[in-house]
Amino acid sequence: MTQRNEPRIEISGADGVLVARLSGAWTTQWTRQIQAAIDSAFAAQSVLSRLDFDLTGVTALDTVGAFLLARRRNEMGQGVQTAITGATEAQEALLDHVNAIEPHAPVAKDTVPWLLRPFDRLGHMTTDALGDVVTIHAVLGRAMAAAGATLAFRAPFRFAAVVNQLDLIAFRAVPIVMLISVVVGAIITQQSILQLNNFGVAIYVVDLAAILMLREVGLLLAAIMIAGRSGSAITAELGSMRMREELDALKVMGVDPYQVLILPRMIALLIGLPFLAFIGALSGLVGAAIVALVYGGIPFDIFLDRLQGALNMQTLLVGMVKAPFMAVIIGLVATNEGFKVQGSAESLGRHTTASVVRSIFLVIVADGLFAMFFAAIGI
């Protein structure tokens, strides 16, 4: 039993010259029925020279219906003459608009043999990486130029924007950095105590936790959290502005995007990451103290006494001196990926993901290089 507005096609004619009389509502609501009606009506029509679509009985037509009708006309091929009759003025305008849209270009097939595809992919990745090295240095140069202009009083220092970014990047990240640092500190201490107990030197877990949290883990956790949380946000903001052509509008108005957008974020990262690294290291020690009490039977006062002997200013500075470099890496990668966004949501998502992945990778690589450097100079 057919419903009142269900789309239908009745085909009549002979000798390859047919008339397709359309009726009902050709709208999104009836997409499946439209496609089924088209497939059923033209299944037995093999040889055609001319086909007229009579839209006199069509009660409603929207973009979906017009698109399915246009696609059917295109599938007829160049050898079949087609025409539209009985359409209203609005329907004709909609059909003309849909017909004017070029179909998607076919996706080129991958002609590289499957044995060579890993090497082909590696080559593309290497080329992209080299291109990123160049563009990141360009971003660094523009950011340094913006900072120089501010220091030379040739551009205003945007204090309000820096405070706003500091709130977004650093202060609002404090709870999550503290939480993850407590958990990781507890895990490291619990695993260390289980091993040190075998040698009867569980007290040394305090030294281990203190050095690890202040030199490496606290900073790494803070940097990874900032890369995932704030780096992705910077890329998404810049990418969205690029999609809406707001960056071009700033340039037209004579405003340097690096002055108003990049510099406040870079300053906030430079201030916020060492702050978060210090907070994260202290939080990790709190987790270590709790687990040392539970698993190792080390009271808090003993833990604090041992902590004072294990820590010194050098240990703290080794961790803190790396933080600004990691902040710059996160800011440069996020900015570079944001400026590479094209005009689609898919591009925005791809570059936001790339920003997080590359920032975390480079932060870990930088930490490894610093570790080798400090070991070489005996710190």
Side-chain angles (χ1 to χ4, degrees):
M1 180 177 179
T2 58
Q3 299 186 40
R4 180 182 177 186
N5 288 324
E6 184 172 352
R8 294 182 295 276
I9 301 179
E10 296 177 359
I11 295 181
S12 60
D15 299 330
V17 179
L18 302 179
V19 175
R21 292 183 173 82
L22 280 58
S23 60
W26 285 57
T27 57
T28 307
Q29 178 187 0
W30 301 96
T31 301
R32 289 184 178 179
Q33 288 82 352
I34 293 173
Q35 189 61 59
I38 291 175
D39 293 341
S40 174
F42 291 97
Q45 310 298 332
S46 56
V47 180
L48 292 177
S49 59
R50 179 178 176 82
L51 176 65
D52 293 339
F53 291 94
D54 183 2
L55 273 62
T56 305
V58 174
T59 57
L61 178 71
D62 66 3
T63 306
V64 172
F67 170 75
L68 294 175
L69 185 57
R71 188 171 68 177
R72 183 67 242 183
R73 292 179 65 186
N74 292 331
E75 290 174 353
M76 291 293 179
Q78 299 293 333
V80 181
Q81 295 181 354
T82 60
I84 300 289
T85 61
T88 64
E89 185 176 348
Q91 290 172 346
E92 286 184 354
L94 178 59
L95 288 167
D96 290 341
H97 180 69
V98 171
N99 284 325
I101 300 175
E102 295 183 358
H104 293 291
V107 179
K109 293 184 178 178
D110 192 354
T111 57
V112 180
W114 66 272
L115 275 173
L116 299 179
R117 286 177 189 171
F119 302 99
D120 178 67
R121 208 164 295 162
L122 180 62
H124 283 291
M125 291 173 62
T126 304
T127 305
D128 293 342
L130 292 176
D132 283 340
V133 169
V134 175
T135 55
I136 283 178
H137 277 83
V139 172
L140 176 61
R142 294 288 302 274
M144 292 178 66
T150 302
L151 292 174
F153 301 104
R154 289 192 289 108
F157 177 67
R158 303 179 186 279
F159 181 73
V162 172
V163 173
N164 180 50
Q165 291 301 321
L166 198 58
D167 176 53
L168 295 174
I169 293 174
F171 296 148
R172 297 191 186 186
V174 168
I176 185 64
V177 171
M178 290 179 63
L179 178 62
I180 196 70
S181 298
V182 167
V183 172
V184 172
I187 293 172
I188 290 174
T189 305
Q190 188 252 359
Q191 292 297 316
S192 301
I193 285 179
L194 294 179
Q195 301 303 319
L196 293 174
N197 270 335
N198 296 329
F199 305 97
V201 290
I203 189 63
Y204 285 109
V205 76
V206 181
D207 302 60
L208 184 63
I211 294 173
L212 274 178
M213 293 308 300
L214 284 172
R215 286 182 63 117
E216 303 292 342
V217 179
L219 173 62
L220 270 181
L221 289 176
I224 291 172
M225 293 302 297
I226 289 295
R229 183 179 178 276
S230 303
S232 61
I234 292 173
T235 301
E237 289 170 359
L238 295 177
S240 299
M241 296 180 71
R242 184 173 173 82
M243 290 170 59
R244 295 194 297 264
E245 299 181 352
E246 294 178 10
L247 296 178
D248 296 330
L250 288 175
K251 294 176 183 175
V252 170
M253 290 187 294
V255 179
D256 183 7
Y258 283 84
Q259 278 286 347
V260 299
L261 299 174
I262 309 305
L263 192 57
R265 287 166 172 78
M266 293 295 288
I267 294 174
L269 284 170
L270 285 169
I271 299 173
L273 187 53
F275 166 72
L276 288 174
F278 184 68
I279 295 291
L282 294 183
S283 303
L285 290 177
V286 171
I290 295 173
V291 173
L293 174 65
V294 175
Y295 280 87
I298 302 173
F300 288 135
D301 54 343
I302 301 297
F303 186 93
L304 290 175
D305 288 341
R306 186 71 192 178
L307 190 62
Q308 290 179 0
L311 288 182
N312 53 43
M313 186 57 69
Q314 178 179 297
T315 305
L316 177 62
L317 291 179
V318 166
M320 291 299 104
V321 77
K322 296 184 286 185
F325 292 92
M326 295 185 179
V328 171
I329 289 173
I330 294 170
L332 291 178
V333 172
T335 303
N336 183 51
E337 294 298 328
F339 284 155
K340 287 163 62 179
V341 171
Q342 302 298 318
S344 69
E346 188 265 344
S347 175
L348 178 63
R350 187 172 64 250
H351 286 289
T352 303
T353 304
S355 171
V356 175
V357 174
R358 292 177 183 178
S359 295
I360 293 176
F361 172 75
L362 292 177
V363 160
I364 294 174
V365 170
D367 187 70
L369 294 176
F370 270 109
M372 290 189 290
F373 172 72
F374 289 133
I377 63 175
I379 297 179

